Amino acid sequence: MEIGDQSTNHDSFDGGEEPLTSFIRHIPEVVELIAASLFVAIALHNFFLRKKRPSSNSGGVANNNILGTTVETSIEEEEEDIISSEQAPLHQSSSQTKCVGVEADTKKKKKVVNKPAKKASAIRNYNKLICKEALLPSDDNNGGKSITADATNSTKSSSEQDSASSPSTETTGTQIQQQPTPPPPLKLHSQANHPGLSAYYNWHATITSLYRIYAIPNRDIFTNTFNPAILPMHPSSERGNIAVNITVANQTRYESIQVYWIDYKGNEIYKGNIPRGGSWVQTTFIGHPWTFRVGGSDGGEESVLLKYVPFRIAPTVLGAETATSRESSGVVGPVGTQSFTLRDVPEGYVTRNEGYGPACWVDDEILPEPPLIDTYNNGERNLSLFTIHEMQMALEWSCFQMQREDAASSGTGVAASKRLLKYLQNICLQPDTTKYRRLRVGNRIFFESVYSTGARGILLALGFEEFMGFLECGPSEGALNYERLRQISDAMMMVDKTLKLMVENEAVVQPEGSDGYGRAGFGYAGQLNI
């Protein structure tokens, strides 16, 4: 459009138009121009303010020097940032996380005294305070590294200074973590040396009492107090159908020993006598009590040598046979048998469990009594003394017991032997590690396969002591001594030999009642059916 052509241009002044009217017409254009100018000014202001924002020093100030740069925030804001950062992730909006500008001018640093935080756990984590918007790109003066790496290095140095003042914490990267407290060492209550066989003999007496009872009167050799023989049940016979052959030999100083059967009403019925050097054989039934006297029944309790009750037939195993093929009382096939010999007690010898002088000594090869000990040994009454031969006999009997349990219930003895070998092998390989010498009774596998079987006798014979639900062996600090390790090694050889016998040998025909069915033909061993 040419300049002279003003016929269609309403914005130009016509010759006859008033100036006021023309100004009013251009007001919208002026307003638009002012608004555009304000928008540009605000944009420039925000740009320069973003590159350098003044910090507010209301309250305490925490400074961090990052390679010549200074990061300043108030302590109140730091605590709010830490609390909010624990409750919300870092990727939330800028209203939930605070950004800190980086001051480029390092000459105008302000000296600020570091004030301790209100809480020990409120330690500044500057990586969480620097947002992505506040990070500067890498430059040539910084060696091509971004400001994030520099901030991380500075945070490491500051956290190392903090860790020097508090040794209970350690720094990993940019976060301060609580150092885990090491578990306290296991404290064993067992002795360094072998404690003796008292615990084993207590267990042994409990196991053998499931098969038979030997109630022997005794006398305290120091106070001359007489203790009569007492059976743990009402002394009377019970009707049953499981027969047992008993053989009793007299190797005492007495010329004759009278034998009495206790009938169903509790009366003593004379059955015969045993001459010195002779033996007596009788077929009886499970649960029938017998009394052996010297001087007749008129002598009272002081004339009693032994009260005996067969409770259960012991399973027969190779080397400890308990079955006979005799046919008596209408019973055909293998019949269970129990044999023992009555002997005199040497002067000065007492029982190991009670420490009393018994009226006689029962010598039973299959279900033996604890051996007698000499009270005058070393001039004192020490019941914990034992010999190496006693330990070998205890280990051997426990191995036989595992074979009996395997014969009564197939697989029981094999599982017990394998599990026991693992426990003992761990101790031999690491004798200084206490956890292998502390076995928890409440463990189901240990309780079923070891603690409730003959394998428990092996551990007790090796000196394991029971304390507060654990079987423990050896000292808390240091390793087992050589002597105890040698004993464990010998026991492992015996258990391994027993395991091979149970696996390789064929099953033996067991006498009636050897599966534990006892107590006068009804009820299992340990149940009193009176």
Side-chain angles (χ1 to χ4, degrees):
M1 180 174 51
E2 297 180 0
I3 300 176
D5 188 7
Q6 298 181 355
S7 59
T8 60
N9 187 0
H10 301 286
D11 295 337
S12 62
F13 292 98
D14 292 337
E17 188 177 7
E18 294 293 335
L20 180 60
T21 306
S22 178
F23 175 77
I24 293 173
R25 184 183 301 173
H26 287 80
I27 286 177
E29 297 179 359
V30 174
V31 172
E32 292 178 0
L33 182 60
I34 294 173
S37 301
L38 288 175
F39 179 80
V40 172
I42 292 173
L44 292 175
H45 176 74
N46 289 338
F47 176 78
F48 289 104
L49 180 64
R50 194 164 177 176
K51 299 197 70 175
K52 178 181 178 182
R53 190 176 69 181
S55 60
S56 59
N57 293 333
S58 59
V61 179
N63 297 338
N64 187 26
N65 190 355
I66 307 178
L67 293 178
T69 62
T70 304
V71 179
E72 302 177 354
T73 60
S74 64
I75 292 180
E76 288 85 4
E77 293 176 353
E78 290 180 7
E79 294 177 354
E80 294 175 0
D81 294 343
I82 293 174
I83 295 175
S84 62
S85 64
E86 293 176 353
Q87 297 176 353
L90 293 178
H91 62 270
Q92 291 182 354
S93 61
S94 61
S95 63
Q96 296 177 343
T97 58
K98 294 182 180 290
C99 299
V100 178
V102 181
E103 185 178 354
D105 189 6
T106 61
K107 297 181 180 180
K108 297 182 181 181
K109 295 181 181 178
K110 294 183 180 181
K111 262 189 181 178
V112 180
V113 180
N114 291 330
K115 296 184 179 180
K118 295 181 180 180
K119 298 180 180 179
S121 61
I123 301 176
R124 189 65 166 167
N125 189 348
Y126 290 97
N127 265 8
K128 293 184 178 180
L129 297 178
I130 301 176
C131 298
K132 293 182 180 180
E133 292 82 357
L135 298 179
L136 299 179
S138 59
D139 52 359
D140 297 334
N141 296 331
N142 200 20
K145 296 180 180 180
S146 64
I147 195 67
T148 307
D150 297 337
T152 304
N153 296 332
S154 176
T155 307
K156 288 183 180 181
S157 61
S158 62
S159 60
E160 290 174 358
Q161 295 177 0
D162 295 339
S163 62
S165 60
S166 58
S168 62
T169 59
E170 62 179 4
T171 58
T172 57
T174 59
Q175 296 182 357
I176 298 180
Q177 298 179 352
Q178 187 71 22
Q179 185 177 7
T181 304
L186 291 177
K187 182 179 179 181
L188 303 182
H189 299 80
S190 53
Q191 305 177 23
N193 297 323
H194 200 292
L197 297 176
S198 298
Y200 165 79
Y201 284 127
N202 290 332
W203 170 82
H204 177 271
T206 303
I207 298 301
T208 54
S209 65
L210 298 177
Y211 299 97
R212 87 290 178 274
I213 285 291
Y214 293 142
I216 306 174
N218 53 68
R219 187 181 299 274
D220 194 329
I221 62 176
F222 294 95
T223 62
N224 199 27
T225 303
F226 177 77
N227 301 309
I230 300 176
L231 292 175
M233 55 172 289
H234 183 66
S236 61
S237 294
E238 300 169 339
R239 298 190 180 276
N241 54 5
I242 298 181
V244 55
N245 290 334
I246 57 176
T247 303
V248 184
N250 179 10
Q251 296 293 334
T252 65
R253 63 182 182 273
Y254 302 107
E255 293 293 335
S256 176
I257 298 177
Q258 293 79 41
V259 182
Y260 294 86
W261 170 62
I262 309 299
D263 64 5
Y264 301 103
K265 296 182 180 181
N267 300 319
E268 290 187 354
I269 307 299
Y270 176 76
K271 289 293 184 179
N273 63 78
I274 312 174
R276 185 172 61 181
S279 60
W280 175 75
V281 179
Q282 177 71 43
T283 299
T284 184
F285 292 90
I286 293 295
H288 286 211
W290 293 81
T291 302
F292 300 87
R293 293 179 176 269
V294 288
S297 59
D298 298 335
E301 290 295 331
E302 292 192 4
S303 65
V304 175
L305 282 182
L306 172 68
K307 291 184 178 181
Y308 160 75
V309 184
F311 276 152
R312 175 179 170 183
I313 303 299
T316 182
V317 296
L318 184 63
E321 290 79 6
T322 58
T324 179
S325 58
R326 283 187 57 183
E327 298 182 5
S328 59
S329 302
V331 179
V332 181
V335 179
T337 181
Q338 292 187 6
S339 303
F340 55 90
T341 302
L342 299 179
R343 301 183 184 274
D344 290 329
V345 178
E347 184 179 358
Y349 278 76
V350 296
T351 57
R352 182 175 294 276
N353 291 343
E354 297 85 5
Y356 296 143
C360 68
W361 164 245
V362 180
D363 186 6
D364 189 340
E365 295 182 357
I366 305 300
L367 304 171
E369 285 281 278
L372 302 178
I373 59 174
D374 187 1
T375 56
Y376 298 104
N377 189 14
N378 297 328
E380 60 182 2
R381 190 176 185 178
N382 191 353
L383 303 181
S384 63
L385 295 177
F386 69 96
T387 62
I388 299 300
H389 176 70
E390 288 184 45
M391 176 183 292
Q392 294 294 329
M393 295 297 294
L395 295 174
E396 182 179 352
W397 192 88
S398 300
C399 291
F400 275 124
Q401 180 61 20
M402 287 192 293
Q403 295 184 54
R404 296 187 189 98
E405 293 167 350
D406 192 78
S409 178
S410 180
T412 302
V414 173
S417 301
K418 291 181 179 179
R419 181 63 57 178
L420 179 62
L421 286 175
K422 290 183 180 180
Y423 289 130
L424 298 181
Q425 184 180 12
N426 290 336
I427 296 175
C428 289
L429 294 179
Q430 302 186 37
D432 56 343
T433 305
T434 56
K435 69 176 183 179
Y436 294 126
R437 295 185 275 113
R438 191 171 189 258
L439 308 177
R440 185 167 63 90
V441 177
N443 184 285
R444 182 182 61 84
I445 297 178
F446 174 76
F447 181 83
E448 294 178 355
S449 60
V450 177
Y451 191 80
S452 301
T453 63
R456 180 181 175 185
I458 300 288
L459 296 177
L460 295 177
L462 291 174
F464 276 79
E465 303 175 63
E466 190 166 357
F467 181 83
M468 299 292 291
F470 290 90
L471 281 178
E472 302 175 349
C473 176
S476 298
E477 299 180 357
L480 283 177
N481 55 44
Y482 171 78
E483 183 64 23
R484 301 198 69 174
L485 287 176
R486 185 183 63 82
Q487 295 169 359
I488 294 177
S489 178
D490 293 343
M492 290 179 62
M493 295 177 63
M494 297 180 66
V495 174
D496 185 67
K497 181 179 178 181
T498 302
L499 177 61
K500 292 180 180 179
L501 290 176
M502 291 185 292
V503 173
E504 297 175 358
N505 291 347
E506 297 181 358
V508 181
V509 179
Q510 298 296 327
E512 186 181 9
S514 62
D515 57 350
Y517 195 74
R519 295 296 299 146
F522 53 93
Y524 281 85
Q527 298 177 354
L528 296 179
N529 301 315
I530 299 175

